[in-house]
Amino acid sequence: MALRICAWQLGIGLAGSLLWGLHGGVHAAVAGISGGLIAVISTFYFALRAFASGQDAAPERLLGNLLRAEVMKWGVTLALFMVAIVLFRDQFPPVISVYAACLLVYWFALGWTATDTGTRTG
């Protein structure tokens, strides 16, 4: 599921970057893809850290991994945004708008989970 979310975020990031590029040129396109990559990198980092113990780990360990991964994801996201602010100070709307569009994937992923679970149980 995490890889599917990352793939969709990357696709949305590329599409948003293309739209910003058509509207504002190459610099806007690069700024847009950086917003998409911030979403993809933070999601992928979270998935790696949260599920590092495997499915058979104790519930307490899984919960601890989830909490630590979420806090670290916020840190990674903040650090990447700080870099983006420095690099794209004059072109920040593409960064934030593409990042926000990529976050919409989480809402669709809720539907994927419900659909996937419903089809397996019969």
Side-chain angles (χ1 to χ4, degrees), residues 36-54:
L37 288 175
I38 291 170
V40 171
I41 290 168
S42 61
T43 298
F44 190 72
Y45 177 82
F46 173 82
L48 285 177
R49 300 295 299 162
F51 305 115
S53 298

Side-chain angles (χ1 to χ4, degrees), residues 9 14 18 21 37-38 86:
Q9 285 180 332
L14 291 171
L18 176 66
L37 288 175
I38 291 170
V86 170

Side-chain angles (χ1 to χ4, degrees), residues 5-14 36 39-40 43 102-103 105-106:
I5 290 171
C6 287
W8 273 97
Q9 285 180 332
L10 185 59
I12 290 171
L14 291 171
V40 171
T43 298
C102 288
L103 292 185
V105 173
Y106 290 119

Side-chain angles (χ1 to χ4, degrees), residues 19-29 91:
L19 290 174
W20 274 106
L22 292 173
H23 175 63
V26 174
H27 196 63
Q91 290 285 334

Side-chain angles (χ1 to χ4, degrees), residues 32-91:
I33 196 64
S34 73
L37 288 175
I38 291 170
V40 171
I41 290 168
S42 61
T43 298
F44 190 72
Y45 177 82
F46 173 82
L48 285 177
R49 300 295 299 162
F51 305 115
S53 298
Q55 296 178 356
D56 297 331
E60 300 84 17
R61 183 164 186 176
L62 289 173
L63 179 60
N65 284 350
L66 285 171
L67 293 174
R68 279 187 296 280
E70 185 64 27
V71 169
M72 291 304 295
K73 176 184 165 185
W74 281 55
V76 167
T77 304
L78 178 63
L80 292 172
F81 264 113
M82 290 172 67
V83 171
I85 288 169
V86 170
L87 294 176
F88 304 109
R89 177 169 287 141
D90 298 334
Q91 290 285 334

